[in-house]
Amino acid sequence: MNRYRTPLKNVRGWGSAKTGTEHFIHQRLTATALVILGLWFVWFVLSLVGSDYLAATDAVSRPWNAVLLVGFLVATFWHAQLGLQVVLEDYIHHSLLALVLQTGVKFIAVLGAIVSIFAVARIALAH
């Protein structure tokens, strides 16, 4: 008879896992930050069209531009990791494969953020 029970029936009454709301809020906050910072980033890149390398590095080295660029990078990698986590949770049903992929996505997101922030810091602090 247990084979006819739905997954919902098996978990009814267990309560919330207590993690969905936090994940949802983080996705919405990073999305909001990306809208605002994305508009700034588009304006920033368009203002550099036709500039040479020195003018571009000079623009990145300005404090407000460097801070906003780092914020954009953090929000981008965090939001991407959160989105890929949802996709993997929804479509990968093998436990070990899901664990390996989740760990890989987090590792790549952190590594990408660190390398990107290091690049901005190197440019900003070199001037």
Side-chain angles (χ1 to χ4, degrees):
M1 190 67 159
N2 269 343
R3 68 184 182 146
Y4 297 112
R5 294 176 69 128
T6 64
L8 179 61
K9 180 67 176 168
N10 291 333
V11 298
R12 191 176 301 273
W14 284 5
S16 170
K18 306 282 191 265
T19 60
T21 305
E22 180 181 2
H23 193 272
F24 177 84
I25 291 171
H26 285 157
Q27 276 188 315
R28 295 324 180 260
L29 287 175
T30 56
T32 304
L34 281 174
V35 167
I36 296 166
L37 291 170
L39 291 172
W40 167 82
F41 184 72
V42 169
W43 171 83
F44 181 67
V45 169
L46 289 177
S47 71
L48 292 175
V49 171
S51 299
D52 61 348
Y53 176 78
L54 291 176
T57 56
D58 186 48
V60 171
S61 69
R62 292 187 191 121
W64 279 109
N65 288 339
V67 168
L68 290 173
L69 190 53
V70 167
F72 178 72
L73 292 168
V74 168
T76 299
F77 282 105
W78 191 5
H79 188 74
Q81 184 272 319
L82 290 171
L84 287 172
Q85 179 181 342
V86 170
V87 170
L88 292 174
E89 288 170 352
D90 287 347
Y91 295 106
I92 305 298
H93 302 294
H94 187 268
S95 298
L96 182 59
L97 179 60
L99 176 66
V100 169
L101 290 174
Q102 289 283 6
T103 304
V105 164
K106 287 184 189 227
F107 178 76
I108 290 169
V110 169
L111 182 65
I114 289 170
V115 168
S116 301
I117 292 168
F118 177 75
V120 171
R122 188 167 177 197
I123 291 170
L125 297 176
H127 280 107

